Amino acid sequence: MDGQSASRAPVVGEGAIGPPTPADRPVTGPAGLSVAEVAERVAAGLTNATTVRTSRTVGQIVRANVLTFFNGLLTALWVVAVATGRWQNALFGGVVIANAGIGIVQELRAKRTLDRLAVLNAPRARVVREGVVTELDVAELVLDDLLEIRAGDQVPADALVRSSVGLTVDESLLTGESEPVTKAAGDPVRSGSVVVAGSARAQTTAVGDDAYAARLATEARRFTTTYSEMVAATNRLLRWIAVVLVVVSPAVLWSQFRSEDNEGWADAVTGTVAALVGMVPEGLVLLTTLAFMVASLTLVRQQTLVQELPAVEGLARVDVVCLDKTGTLTHGDVRFDRLDLLDGADADGVRKALGALAGADAANATAAAITAAFPPAAGATVVGAVPFSSARKWSAVSLADAGTWLLGAPEMVLAGAATGAAGTARHRADQLAAEGRRVLLLASSPHPPPGSGEDVGLPQDLRPVALVVLAERIREDAAEVLGYFTEQGVALKVISGDNPRTVGAVAAAVGVPGVSGAVDAVDARTLPEDDDALAAVVETASVFGRVTPHQKRAMVRALQRRGHVVAMTGDGVNDALALKDADIGVAMGNGSPATRAVAQLVLLDGRFAHLPAAVAEGRRVIANIERAASLFLVKNVYSLVLALVTVVTVAAYPLEPVQLTLISTVTIGVPGFFLALLPNRRRYVPGFLRRVLCFAVPVGVLTGIAAYAGYALTRWLVPGAGVPAARTAATLVVLALALWTLLVLARPLDGVKAALVATMAAVVVLVLALPALAEDVVLLQVSAAVLGIAAALAVPAAVLVELAGRWALAAARPDAAGRDG
């Protein structure tokens, strides 16, 4: 592969997947490479290590937290403030340092933790070296290694098939084509493709950055980065604020130099700096990022790895959860329960056939369970095999002296049978499935299966021989978890490839709403092809059996077209495409590498019971960021109001930069970060930006008007009062209203939030009570007259803020059960 092709990630929907794999490399023997040959390739740098990273580098983290538009603006304003000679008014520069420092430290801590987990959970590959099959991290593979790939694996490097046993791969993650492709000896396979059936040994022909291997854990989901309403809304706000700053700044500068209240250029510059600093949301982006990271680390402690930070928020928006039965509602392991021989069956022949079938498809979990009960018999010579496929639901072997044997879903192997031995076998299988059993049918035929690859068909003259009954254990916590989702108003859809009766019985046992037994399950083979008709069925029904991977994907998309935010759980390769298309893909840690590669969340210990905690964490984050964002935007709004008023009145700006620093610290910065990390059980409600603006605009306008009134009345009513005294009154009014706004947003109050508000108020009182702080640092001139004017304005304005806050917050509380806490 050339460098240009390697540097470009393929896009879903493209028909080509790169230039052909070189077929003229020296052939690696069946024993694989030797230790010396591996060392030679490692020394030459021919390993599968890539430059693609799952997290940002240290340099990227520093640049992202330091080199921002608003940090640049604040730094420039800080330089101007220093030039005026008033060091107090340059204290806001500490905000730039604090924002950047906190962001860098927290992201580096999160990076170390998440990168360490990513290494521990990195995909592994089986490789043959010196005749021994061993497992390695995919980065340790070298050029010409002999891979062993099986169903459920994601191919770790470009390779050339050397031997194949029914190998079928899905290349849709590379090409967008959903049809699986059969691979024979001599055919190329690409990294990022998924093995859906069979097994093979393949020699690597392109590794590292020369292959598609970088897609393994990152590129497969890069083109489906989780949508974040919070991040999108925040970015939109920042663009609006940037435009406002560009438009308003020249007008404010003009008014401050024209104002008679200002004495000299230093006063004019100071007023302009204060106006612009107040309109900068210096901590909003940092707050959002930190909240996501803290949530990710919290979930890690609960055995949930978040592979995309915005997925934390996405969890809060989920209103439909699609569940795979096996590995989610039941334990992923299956065990052999019993064998029901049908009329005329030869017990020894059945055991011999089951051993051969299981041995030919050992990568399959069901086959592994059967192998434990029926090990391959000596003398059973397999002359042909059809590996299990999730599309056809059966596998087959042809024995040298015993014909062809099939093992699979009864309704697929004996499709359409209603009478005779076949009808009796189907009826008995349905009875067992209705009890929640997993049933496979063993059948024999003197003829081999016609066709090849995915086009292989059932042989003629099939005769049912035995029913293989497998046992699945329902997870002990499944009913409790589903009950949580039901209480939270989240719809549940059980989507499985198993027999509909089995799936229905399990769904009824764990309490899926609207499901009373096996008869309530929908057989996916009866589902319509039309998108609208499919959406109507999926919307109303809750349990589906015999669902193909293609149908799982179509069902997820149908729910999304109906306006739902869909989470999909799964552990098998047949779930990978549906997980990729879902808004939130949740993979089990013990599932296939393909599912873990495309999921946004991985339940590391495979316990579905962690998902409610993950959803709750997402709701906590989104509700708390909304609350904190309201605090930030209130300041931006009243700062804009004051700037516009000073432009119109050509008065001095009513606040000094240092006074804004005090206001921002005690009413926004410190409490905002605490509030963002506190518990919050409020349900997600769409419309983050609309609600934040509905609260921030009226409250900010009221605060701005009251602050300017305090400034103007002090100049008018207090004899001899100058600009410093008037600014003191405006500062006191803003402090009082901002603290009341904090009180409104912190409700319902508990001990922690009440202590937070009380502590911030105590800090304000302390500053006012100490002349060294009030006069020398914050530049306040506190007097009885100023306090009286501030109180007279703050009390009625606080009543209006209370009313405006109650009206705005009502939209965020759809019912009592959804209130925050």
Side-chain angles (χ1 to χ4, degrees):
M1 180 180 298
D2 59 32
Q4 183 179 3
S5 298
S7 66
R8 176 181 174 274
V11 180
V12 169
E14 290 182 338
I17 56 174
T21 304
D24 54 355
R25 292 199 58 79
V27 176
T28 300
L33 297 178
S34 66
V35 173
E37 289 172 324
V38 171
E40 178 185 342
R41 285 161 173 77
V42 170
L46 301 176
T47 70
N48 204 39
T50 70
T51 57
V52 177
R53 301 175 182 270
T54 56
S55 63
R56 295 194 288 192
T57 65
V58 173
Q60 289 171 331
I61 290 173
V62 172
R63 286 194 298 272
N65 283 276
V66 174
L67 303 180
T68 69
F69 169 76
F70 290 110
N71 276 356
L73 176 61
L74 287 174
T75 302
L77 294 175
W78 177 82
V79 171
V80 173
V82 170
T84 65
R86 298 173 182 174
W87 63 268
Q88 301 96 329
N89 283 327
L91 290 178
F92 69 86
V95 173
V96 179
I97 298 173
N99 278 345
I102 293 171
I104 291 169
V105 170
Q106 291 293 341
E107 188 166 353
L108 286 176
R109 288 180 58 193
K111 171 185 167 61
R112 284 195 296 270
T113 302
L114 297 177
D115 283 358
R116 186 165 58 248
L117 264 176
V119 170
L120 292 175
N121 292 276
R124 309 272 289 175
R126 284 177 297 276
V127 61
V128 183
R129 289 181 180 173
E130 297 193 329
V132 179
V133 179
T134 57
E135 279 200 0
L136 302 172
D137 288 338
V138 295
E140 297 179 38
L141 297 176
V142 298
L143 189 67
D144 295 324
D145 252 331
L146 190 62
L147 299 173
E148 182 172 281
I149 51 178
R150 307 171 185 168
D153 290 346
Q154 192 169 30
V155 181
D158 288 359
L160 200 67
V161 177
R162 294 304 183 195
S163 64
S164 170
V165 181
L167 179 67
T168 305
V169 299
D170 188 325
E171 297 177 336
S172 59
L173 294 180
L174 304 177
T175 68
E177 300 295 333
S178 61
E179 292 301 321
V181 181
T182 301
K183 298 287 185 178
D187 290 339
V189 289
R190 302 292 187 186
S191 64
S193 55
V194 176
V195 181
V196 296
S199 60
R201 288 194 173 183
Q203 178 183 341
T204 60
T205 55
V207 292
D209 288 335
D210 291 330
Y212 283 106
R215 294 174 59 88
L216 271 172
T218 53
E219 290 300 331
R221 62 179 183 273
R222 182 164 295 178
F223 52 76
T224 55
T225 301
T226 306
Y227 172 76
S228 168
E229 179 191 3
M230 195 82 59
V231 172
T234 301
N235 289 337
R236 197 177 310 134
L237 276 173
L238 295 179
R239 288 194 296 269
W240 292 347
I241 291 171
V243 171
V244 169
L245 283 168
V246 171
V247 173
V248 172
S249 299
V252 172
L253 183 63
W254 172 83
S255 69
Q256 293 306 291
F257 272 97
R258 291 289 303 274
S259 175
E260 296 179 358
D261 294 341
N262 292 322
E263 299 177 2
W265 70 270
D267 285 348
V269 168
T270 298
T272 303
V273 168
L276 299 185
V277 167
M279 288 187 281
V280 175
E282 63 271 3
L284 184 55
V285 176
L286 173 64
L287 178 77
T288 303
T289 303
L290 284 184
F292 283 162
M293 287 184 177
V294 170
S296 297
L297 295 177
T298 300
L299 291 175
V300 162
R301 291 191 287 270
Q302 299 170 357
Q303 293 297 302
T304 302
L305 175 61
V306 178
Q307 302 199 101
E308 294 180 24
L309 286 182
V312 175
E313 179 208 324
L315 285 168
R317 298 188 286 115
V318 166
D319 61 355
V320 175
V321 175
C322 296
L323 312 165
D324 182 41
K325 176 181 70 68
T326 305
T328 302
L329 301 182
T330 63
H331 291 276
D333 57 328
V334 293
R335 58 183 176 82
F336 172 75
D337 186 18
R338 69 176 189 270
L339 185 66
D340 285 2
L341 296 176
L342 301 176
D343 292 341
D346 173 43
D348 291 337
V350 166
R351 292 178 179 276
K352 180 179 178 181
L354 287 174
L357 281 160
D361 209 3
N364 186 290
T366 300
I370 295 175
T371 300
F374 304 100
T381 304
V382 177
V383 296
V386 178
F388 177 81
S389 162
S390 57
R392 57 178 170 263
K393 306 293 184 186
W394 56 266
S395 61
V397 293
S398 295
L399 302 180
D401 57 351
T404 298
W405 295 81
L406 275 78
L407 181 67
E411 65 272 25
M412 305 297 281
V413 176
L414 300 177
T419 59
T424 302
R426 282 287 308 275
H427 179 69
R428 176 58 181 154
D430 288 344
Q431 286 180 322
L432 292 170
E435 297 172 4
R437 304 282 186 172
R438 190 172 179 181
V439 186
L440 298 175
L441 175 75
L442 178 68
S444 67
S445 170
H447 308 290
S452 62
E454 284 300 299
D455 295 327
V456 68
L458 292 168
Q460 296 179 347
D461 302 325
L462 274 174
R463 181 176 67 89
V465 176
L467 294 176
V468 181
V469 183
L470 303 172
E472 286 187 289
R473 293 176 296 132
I474 294 177
R475 289 186 178 270
E476 297 78 7
D477 49 19
E480 180 182 351
V481 173
L482 298 190
Y484 166 83
F485 283 119
T486 302
E487 291 173 3
Q488 295 296 311
V490 177
L492 301 170
K493 308 290 179 183
V494 181
I495 302 175
S496 175
D498 284 348
N499 186 298
R501 291 176 175 270
T502 303
V503 182
V506 171
V510 296
V512 174
V515 181
S516 58
V519 295
D520 294 317
V522 176
D523 190 328
R525 292 172 297 174
T526 66
L527 289 175
E529 293 287 338
D530 178 74
D531 291 342
D532 293 334
L534 175 64
V537 176
V538 177
E539 182 82 43
T540 55
S542 298
V543 181
F544 302 85
R546 292 296 174 224
V547 185
T548 66
H550 173 74
Q551 286 178 310
K552 287 188 178 184
R553 195 177 194 183
M555 293 164 81
V556 167
R557 290 176 172 177
L559 289 167
Q560 291 171 327
R561 282 195 299 273
R562 288 290 183 107
H564 294 291
V565 179
V566 182
M568 174 77 192
T569 71
D571 65 345
V573 64
N574 59 326
D575 302 317
L577 297 180
L579 260 67
K580 180 176 69 68
D581 286 346
D583 297 283
I584 299 294
V586 182
M588 301 299 166
N590 54 358
S592 72
T595 57
R596 297 199 303 270
V598 299
Q600 285 85 19
L601 274 79
V602 179
L603 304 181
L604 298 174
D605 58 3
R607 290 186 58 207
F608 179 54
H610 293 311
L611 197 53
V615 172
E617 186 67 14
R619 290 182 172 182
R620 182 192 69 78
V621 167
I622 196 170
N624 283 344
I625 290 179
E626 180 175 322
R627 182 159 55 186
S630 298
L631 282 176
F632 279 95
L633 289 180
V634 165
K635 186 199 79 166
N636 299 142
V637 172
Y638 68 66
S639 297
L640 176 61
V641 169
L642 290 174
L644 294 176
V645 170
T646 56
V647 169
V648 173
T649 61
V650 197
Y653 192 77
L655 299 171
E656 294 267 15
V658 67
Q659 293 160 356
L660 269 172
T661 300
L662 172 66
I663 294 168
S664 297
T665 301
V666 299
T667 67
I668 301 168
V670 173
F673 280 102
F674 274 100
L675 289 177
L677 303 178
L678 290 177
N680 197 321
R681 298 187 302 274
R682 200 194 77 198
R683 294 181 186 175
Y684 168 76
V685 182
F688 160 77
L689 184 57
R690 177 184 58 81
R691 282 195 308 279
V692 168
L693 291 177
C694 282
F695 180 89
V697 170
V699 171
V701 169
L702 286 169
T703 304
I705 292 174
Y708 186 77
Y711 176 88
L713 287 175
T714 302
R715 295 293 306 274
W716 180 39
L717 296 177
V718 178
V723 171
R727 282 176 168 163
T728 300
T731 301
L732 294 177
V733 170
V734 173
L735 279 169
L737 295 183
L739 285 171
W740 194 265
T741 301
L742 174 61
L743 187 66
V744 171
L745 290 170
R747 294 173 188 158
L749 290 177
D750 56 19
V752 174
K753 286 185 281 190
L756 175 64
V757 177
T759 301
M760 296 300 100
V763 170
V764 172
V765 172
L766 180 65
V767 169
L768 296 178
L770 297 177
L773 289 176
E775 297 175 10
D776 298 338
V777 178
V778 191
L779 306 178
L780 297 175
Q781 292 185 0
V782 182
S783 65
V786 168
L787 286 172
I789 290 174
L793 289 169
V795 171
V799 173
L800 294 176
V801 166
E802 176 73 24
L803 295 175
R806 291 190 179 189
W807 169 77
L809 292 177
R813 294 173 175 169
D815 52 54
R819 291 175 182 263
D820 59 345

